[in-house]
């Protein structure tokens, strides 16, 4: 794949007409004074593969003096990099947290970089790296602002180190779009110089699958901020449209439960829907009860340590020491057994009742990088069954205080001043597990699945504008072998229009502008053959002349009158005709009448030449015209001309049973919110329009 050549000049992006490989663009960046390079993925590029390509390009330029990281370790595991990759959290923060007495938080301090002064950092999926404050169950990493801490870790802007942020500008971000690492204004707040590399999209002929086609379509809508149309493509292979009433859907969902852990998933836009899907799959399809039991699939929502060998080789010792193993956030497993894990009861200052924290002890066969590894884990019971994947604010605090008091009671220190280490306490290290059948799309970002099922229904906080389009785009960006999509939206500009017909007047209908020209267009320097005073009418002449000349027709005379122009035409065969063009105060041609002809067909030819598809000022106006024409032409009606006003289009319609003027008002996204029939020439066309526009189409 080729990309635009980036030429750095005072921090601005300049692109020449030649295409250059990604490797050469990164070579330009490495040799420039720029500190940050944004590599924005094309919508037909897999993010993990793109990070792999950037990794190879950076290695070619700087050797081994670079680091690859991702927003989370579960994402980094899928990067095909030459360097070992991990999470940004593991890179820039200490693994051990210190308790803050002031705000009762566990804080993981930011580390100082140990890399060279010319080190390069490659950060994949950077749309998920945000400057928005984040805190996890009374646990905070650094300042709570990941992007800010990372820039300070790198030492920018004083440092000579460089950062390559690789991301997708159209996927969902963590928090506000303007706070993510792909936001140039946000990066400029840190005083760094930024250049940008936008990978081009493949041509339409190169697109071979529906998934890529959908990403391209949705990216185009997000780029132009037009959220009034969804036109998705599907096939019977990797991108399948599914009806929720399809009797095979339960079979498909049951298949997900039979796949190896983490290979199949259902994604939804809210935790409530995730819980509904989980209950349905477990209890209706897989015959599990309400409580967790052997055979259930679970996922780790935090990283924790297991103090038990996981498939460790046998040793000669009769009593081998426990081998600590780390289960990382995002790893799936199958439950082998479940037993009660006890509970702790802890009194906290300022609380009227003691805090009770219950635990379960589950033996799980984990899908680790080394293969399936079986081991026990103590887990929070409340976290497993909570509505959202979170603990109550008092829960982690109670656990830590309980651990400190228990260790202090057993401490043999003479003076009692020794610092108490609770990092190895089993309750402090407890796992946060959730059922692994469904998850929010946010959590699915950056992963790879064999089978993915997504319910595309809009609603709730998603709405039907930019947020929903980003959600849709992200759903088609999750890497999977096969995707099944339910409740595909029927989203078109006129679908939700509130139509009004009662106030329409019957009578003669005159179009606002029959000739598609712009009266206010800047005039060129070329002289014209006739003396015309008004610049708007000179523009009309140029338009008419340029339209008829290719058909070997010339304008031979023009007579000026108030609000009308009389044109005489002559064909190459010597035939002539005279047309009277009536215009309004805006110089729009509202009527064309014949005033004599030596060839009866010549006037008709010229009228057809002068009244083609209307002139549009932007793509949105053309899109609304195309959509309305698609609705009407199937019913013997057509749009002859269009009058453009602010957030309003007035269409002149013509059919076999009459003519009409229709006004449509639209919002900033291009969705037509209301429509009103202004005039109609017959009762029949009014009835026809009412039937066509108010019925489902």
């Amino acid at each position: 794949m080729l990309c635009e050549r980036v030429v750095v000049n005072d921090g601005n992006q300049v692109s020449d007409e030649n295409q250059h490989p990604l490797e050469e663009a990164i070579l330009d960046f490495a040799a420039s004074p720029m500190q940050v390079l944004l590599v924005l993925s094309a919508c037909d590029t897999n993010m993990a593969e793109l990070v792999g390509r950037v990794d190879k390009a950076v290695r070619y330029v700087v050797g081994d003096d670079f680091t690859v990281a991702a927003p989370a370790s579960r994402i980094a595991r899928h990067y095909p990099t030459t360097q070992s990759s991990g999470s940004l959290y593991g890179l820039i923060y200490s693994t051990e947290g210190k308790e803050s007495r002031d705000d009762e938080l566990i804080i993981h301090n930011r580390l100082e970089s140990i890399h060279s002064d010319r080190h390069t950092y490659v950060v994949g999926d950077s749309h998920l790296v945000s400057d928005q404050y984040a805190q996890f169950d009374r646990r905070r990493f650094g300042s709570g602002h990941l992007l800010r801490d990372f820039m300070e870790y790198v030492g920018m802007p004083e440092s000579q180190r460089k950062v390559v942020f690789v991301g997708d500008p159209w996927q969902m971000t963590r928090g506000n779009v303007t706070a993510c690492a792909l936001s140039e204004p946000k990066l400029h707040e840190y005083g760094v110089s930024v250049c940008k590399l936008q990978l081009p999209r493949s041509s339409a002929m190169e697109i071979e699958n529906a998934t890529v086609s959908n990403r391209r379509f949705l990216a185009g809508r997000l780029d132009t901020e037009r959220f009034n149309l969804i036109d998705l493509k599907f096939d019977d292979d990797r991108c399948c449209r599914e009806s929720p009433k399809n009797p095979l859907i339960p079979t498909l969902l049951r298949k997900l439960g039979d796949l190896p852990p983490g290979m199949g998933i259902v994604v939804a836009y809210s935790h409530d829907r995730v819980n509904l899907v989980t209950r349905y799959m477990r209890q209706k399809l897989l015959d599990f009860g309400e409580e967790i039991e052997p055979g259930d699939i679970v996922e780790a929502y935090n990283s924790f340590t297991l103090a038990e060998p996981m498939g460790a080789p046998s040793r000669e010792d009769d009593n081998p020491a426990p081998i600590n193993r780390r289960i990382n956030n995002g790893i799936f497993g199958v439950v082998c057994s479940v037993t009660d894990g006890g509970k702790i009861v802890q009194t906290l200052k300022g609380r009227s009742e003691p805090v009770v924290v219950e635990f379960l002890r589950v033996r799980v066969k984990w899908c680790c990088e080394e293969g399936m590894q079986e081991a026990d884990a103590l887990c929070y019971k409340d976290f497993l069954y909570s509505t959202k994947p979170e603990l109550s604010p008092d829960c982690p605090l109670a656990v830590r205080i309980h651990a400190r008091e228990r260790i202090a009671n057993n401490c043999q220190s003479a003076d009692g001043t020794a610092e108490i280490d609770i990092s190895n306490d089993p309750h402090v290290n407890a796992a946060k597990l959730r059922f692994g059948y469904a998850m929010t799309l946010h959590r699915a970002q950056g992963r790879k699945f064999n089978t993915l099922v997504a319910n595309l229904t809009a609603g709730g906080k998603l709405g039907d504008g930019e947020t929903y389009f980003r959600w849709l785009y992200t759903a088609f960006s999750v890497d999977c072998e096969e995707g099944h999509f339910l409740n595909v939206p029927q989203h078109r500009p006129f679908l939700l229009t509130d139509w009004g017909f009662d106030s329409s007047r019957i009578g003669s209908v005159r179009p606002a502008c029959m000739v598609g020209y712009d009266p206010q267009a800047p005039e060129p320097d070329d002289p014209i053959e006739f003396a015309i005073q008004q610049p708007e009418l000179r523009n009309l002449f140029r338009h008419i002349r340029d339209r008829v000349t290719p058909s070997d027709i010339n304008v031979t005379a023009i007579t000026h009158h108030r609000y009308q122009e009389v044109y005489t035409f002559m064909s190459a065969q010597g035939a002539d005709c005279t047309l009277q063009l009536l215009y309004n105060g805006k110089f729009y041609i509202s009527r064309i009448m014949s005033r004599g002809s030596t060839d009866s067909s010549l006037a008709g030819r010229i009228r057809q030449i002068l009244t083609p598809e209307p002139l549009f000022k932007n793509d949105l106006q053309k899109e609304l015209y195309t959509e309305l024409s698609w609705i009407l032409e199937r019913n013997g009606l057509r749009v002859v001309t269009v009058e453009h006003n602010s957030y309003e289009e007035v269409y002149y319609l013509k059919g076999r049973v009459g003519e009409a003027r229709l006004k449509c008002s639209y919002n900033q996204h291009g969705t037509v919110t209301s429509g009103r029939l202004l005039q109609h020439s017959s009762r029949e066309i009014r009835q026809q329009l009412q039937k066509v526009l108010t019925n489902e189409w």
Side-chain angles (χ1 to χ4, degrees), residues 234-355:
F234 296 91
D235 53 37
D236 297 324
D237 184 19
R238 297 189 58 180
C239 184
C240 308
R241 179 202 296 265
E242 304 288 357
S243 168
K245 298 181 180 179
N246 188 336
L248 295 179
I249 293 300
T251 303
L252 171 64
L253 297 178
R254 191 178 292 110
K255 173 188 171 184
L256 296 185
D258 295 335
L259 288 172
M263 296 301 291
I265 203 71
V266 180
V267 295
Y269 74 81
S270 69
H271 294 297
D272 289 339
R273 291 200 174 189
V274 167
N275 295 337
L276 286 173
V277 171
T278 298
R279 283 196 296 270
Y280 175 73
M281 288 183 61
R282 291 188 66 255
Q283 298 177 33
K284 299 294 184 182
L285 302 180
L286 303 175
D287 297 324
F288 288 118
E290 293 185 2
E291 305 292 330
I292 189 172
E293 55 186 273
D296 260 318
I297 296 176
V298 292
E299 182 197 359
Y301 269 61
N302 69 323
S303 298
F304 54 92
T305 301
L306 297 171
E308 177 182 336
M310 295 196 304
S314 60
R315 298 175 51 180
E316 295 180 357
D317 303 15
D318 293 334
N319 298 302
I323 300 176
N324 289 333
R325 284 297 187 95
R326 191 77 170 166
I327 297 296
N328 289 321
N329 185 350
I331 289 182
F332 289 86
V334 180
V335 176
C336 301
S337 64
V338 182
T339 57
D340 179 60
K343 64 182 179 181
I344 63 172
V345 180
Q346 181 64 46
T347 301
L348 298 180
K349 292 181 180 179
R351 280 66 162 181
S352 58
E353 299 291 337
V355 177

Side-chain angles (χ1 to χ4, degrees), residues 311-488:
S314 60
R315 298 175 51 180
E316 295 180 357
D317 303 15
D318 293 334
N319 298 302
I323 300 176
N324 289 333
R325 284 297 187 95
R326 191 77 170 166
I327 297 296
N328 289 321
N329 185 350
I331 289 182
F332 289 86
V334 180
V335 176
C336 301
S337 64
V338 182
T339 57
D340 179 60
K343 64 182 179 181
I344 63 172
V345 180
Q346 181 64 46
T347 301
L348 298 180
K349 292 181 180 179
R351 280 66 162 181
S352 58
E353 299 291 337
V355 177
V356 179
V357 185
E358 296 184 272
F359 296 89
L360 294 173
R361 183 168 293 278
V362 292
R363 189 165 188 83
V364 179
K365 189 175 290 186
W366 299 100
C367 297
C368 300
E369 293 182 2
E370 301 87 347
M372 299 297 288
Q373 308 277 353
E374 188 173 322
D376 282 349
L378 191 68
C379 72
Y380 289 97
K381 185 176 181 179
D382 286 348
F383 190 90
L384 178 67
Y385 296 115
S386 62
T387 303
K388 293 183 179 181
E390 60 187 16
L391 293 169
S392 67
D394 288 339
C395 183
L397 178 62
V399 168
R400 295 186 68 85
I401 292 178
H402 182 272
R404 190 183 301 110
E405 291 180 354
R406 181 182 60 81
I407 295 175
N409 291 335
N410 297 328
C411 183
Q412 301 301 317
S413 173
D415 55 10
T417 60
E419 183 177 350
I420 298 176
D421 181 11
I422 61 173
S423 60
N424 294 319
D425 182 85
H427 296 102
V428 173
N429 279 309
K432 299 173 184 175
L433 303 183
R434 299 285 284 182
F435 291 110
Y437 305 99
M439 64 176 61
T440 60
L441 185 56
H442 256 126
R443 190 159 179 85
Q445 281 180 275
R447 303 205 204 194
K448 184 173 183 178
F449 302 96
N450 178 279
T451 304
L452 179 138
V453 178
N455 185 343
L456 303 186
T457 301
K461 294 182 180 179
L462 280 177
D464 57 4
E466 178 181 352
T467 302
Y468 180 57
F469 273 70
R470 283 185 178 272
W471 193 92
L472 280 180
Y473 178 86
T474 306
F476 288 103
S477 300
V478 177
D479 192 3
C480 62
E481 294 297 320
E482 57 180 80
H484 301 265
F485 300 93
L486 285 70
N487 294 312
V488 176

Side-chain angles (χ1 to χ4, degrees), residues 187-217:
L187 294 176
H188 286 313
E189 290 180 10
Y190 296 104
V192 298
S193 51
V194 182
C195 56
K196 183 168 63 175
L197 174 65
Q198 175 69 62
L199 294 173
R201 304 168 188 171
S202 302
S203 68
M205 296 299 293
E206 294 175 305
I207 297 177
E208 297 181 355
N209 64 75
T211 302
V212 171
S213 176
N214 292 336
R215 287 205 299 268
R216 285 170 56 85
F217 169 78

